[in-house]
Amino acid sequence: MTSAPTSAFARALTWLAVAVSVVLLGLGIAWYGWSVEVHRRFWADIFERIHGPMTFRFYLQPVMAALAALPDGIRDARLGHKSFFWSAWWDRNASAGRLRKGAISTARVVLLGLSMDVIYQFKVLDRFYPAEALMMAILLAVIPYFIFRWIVERAAIWWFARKGTDALM
């Protein structure tokens, strides 16, 4: 079984997410630098976001990441790939395209998370901290995607083994 080719729109969306992330990180460092005070404010702001307006995003973004991880984890199990995250980073024989596929799968969720955090910051903080917006997108979308993909992959491997080898085809 081979994976379907990636659409041009999905690739463009991924590059947009990567470009916006790099720009936000650069702007955050250029505008606010990196000091103990910035570090303290960063973590205080992140923990304050849990209790306040727009807390639904703490549920929405991981759910969206889980929905993106579901078909990818099942596909990994069908193709017999090792655990996605670890093999993508540490196994030299793993396909280089696996991380790319993960980036493509999470691009929409990252962009959704970034836009939601920008709205939150302007509404609640009356300021914009670009690096915080990027960090929230990573914490609420990218990390849950990798975790859910691993869980789905493990569950699918168990399910296919239980059903027999015919389920793998």
Side-chain angles (χ1 to χ4, degrees), residues 117-134:
D117 204 69
V118 168
I119 292 167
Y120 169 84
Q121 285 187 32
F122 281 119
K123 182 178 179 182
V124 176
L125 303 176
D126 291 327
R127 296 199 65 176
F128 179 56
Y129 299 107
E132 285 183 25
L134 177 61

Side-chain angles (χ1 to χ4, degrees), residues 52-154:
M54 296 179 65
T55 55
F56 70 92
R57 73 183 191 268
F58 284 92
Y59 304 106
L60 179 65
Q61 287 177 258
V63 166
M64 297 298 292
L67 291 174
L70 187 64
D72 295 339
I74 293 170
R75 184 176 31 252
D76 285 349
R78 282 195 174 134
L79 294 174
H81 290 153
K82 295 178 186 173
S83 181
F84 171 76
F85 183 74
W86 298 114
S87 66
W89 282 104
W90 304 110
D91 185 4
R92 298 289 179 225
N93 298 327
S95 169
R98 293 188 76 200
L99 277 179
R100 190 176 319 115
K101 290 284 187 186
I104 289 169
S105 295
T106 58
R108 287 184 186 150
V109 181
V110 167
L111 291 173
L112 171 71
L114 288 172
S115 61
M116 290 173 74
D117 204 69
V118 168
I119 292 167
Y120 169 84
Q121 285 187 32
F122 281 119
K123 182 178 179 182
V124 176
L125 303 176
D126 291 327
R127 296 199 65 176
F128 179 56
Y129 299 107
E132 285 183 25
L134 177 61
M135 187 64 169
M136 288 307 295
I138 291 170
L139 287 173
L140 293 176
V142 176
I143 293 172
Y145 169 82
F146 286 128
I147 292 169
F148 287 127
R149 185 169 177 167
W150 177 77
I151 290 169
V152 168
E153 180 184 335
R154 295 285 113 203

